Structure formats: structure tokens, C-alpha cells
Amino acid sequence: MTARGRPQQQIAEDLGTTSRNIQRFLARYRVGGLEGLKIQWAPGKTPLIPEELAPTILDWIRQGPRACGLKRANWTHVALADFLHLKTGIRVRETAMGDFCRRHGVRLYRPTYRLLRAEPARQQQARQELSEKNARPSEATLSF
């Protein structure tokens, strides 16, 4: 638009920005061409868990906690973070371990409840017991 003689103020109005931004875009274009206009994102915060440890942690996950000497059936993000601290001295929170697992395509095991795997008759019995346990006592059964 500037090459066709259009004023920077009108260009800014057309694009919904300020004339100062247009000046910045033009300066970047003059220095670097179209490549100079590409957005360059900051690299961001470095991960708390070094990438060099990824093969080791992924191996722990594949082996399971019992193979690593823990008395657990399954890994959780908290347990894995605690084990990392125990082995390497690197302390991270559950969220950092969750981010690590997502980056590496790992989804830790989620236990299913016994009720879901039980026989239908036992499921019904468990539901009955839960409903009786959670039921509010009627006013007639209350004694003061």
C-alpha cells in the first residue's frame, strides 16, 4: 500500500492498528523482507525436567513402580514426581510431571473401580448399600 502512495495513517485505519505499528512493520520489511515480518516467539521457560532424563523416566513408566522398588500398583503424577526427586534430587510438582507426560505422549494408568467389574448382582447390592448409607434419616427415626 505504501508503494502505491497510500499514507501510513490511512493504512493504519484500514488495518485497525496505529500508524506507529505500520512504521515498525515497514522498518522490519525494509531490513528483512517478508522473512522480517514473521513473528518470532520467545523460546519460553525451560522445562523443569531436563530432556536428557526423558529416556530414563519413560523407562520407569514402562517398567512400573514395582520394578522400581515401590510398593504401588500404578504410577500417578505425584508418585512419579516423588520418585524423580528420590533418584535425581530434582523436585517437581504434579503439574510439571503431567506436562512432561503429555509432551511425551504418556497417559498414566487410571484404575477402574471394583463396582464396575463386579457381577450384576453384586453391583446392585453395592448400589443398595450406598443408597442406604447416603439416605437421610427420616424425621420419625430421629430421637432427641
Side-chain angles (χ1 to χ4, degrees), residues 25-79:
F25 291 141
L26 287 172
R28 287 174 57 190
Y29 179 76
R30 287 183 191 118
V31 171
L34 288 177
E35 288 294 316
L37 293 176
K38 284 188 178 176
I39 297 174
Q40 297 173 358
W41 299 104
K45 185 179 175 184
T46 56
L48 297 174
I49 302 171
E51 204 55 39
E52 305 86 57
L53 288 177
T56 305
I57 297 170
L58 294 174
D59 194 41
W60 294 341
I61 293 170
R62 278 187 216 97
Q63 291 175 12
R66 291 202 188 260
C68 294
L70 300 175
K71 294 181 181 179
R72 303 183 56 88
N74 304 303
W75 285 116
T76 63
H77 292 130
V78 173

Side-chain angles (χ1 to χ4, degrees), residues 96-117:
M97 188 55 72
D99 291 342
F100 172 86
C101 289
R102 272 187 293 287
R103 269 196 322 274
H104 292 281
V106 173
R107 194 166 174 198
L108 297 180
Y109 174 79
R110 291 189 222 171
T112 55
Y113 295 98
R114 292 181 184 177
L115 173 66
L116 299 176
R117 294 184 306 202

Side-chain angles (χ1 to χ4, degrees), residues 113-127:
Y113 295 98
R114 292 181 184 177
L115 173 66
L116 299 176
R117 294 184 306 202
E119 299 169 13
R122 291 182 68 196
Q123 288 178 344
Q124 185 59 33
Q125 180 185 359
R127 285 188 191 99

Side-chain angles (χ1 to χ4, degrees), residues 72-88:
R72 303 183 56 88
N74 304 303
W75 285 116
T76 63
H77 292 130
V78 173
L80 202 51
D82 290 342
F83 191 69
L84 177 69
H85 180 254
L86 178 72
K87 292 294 183 179
T88 65

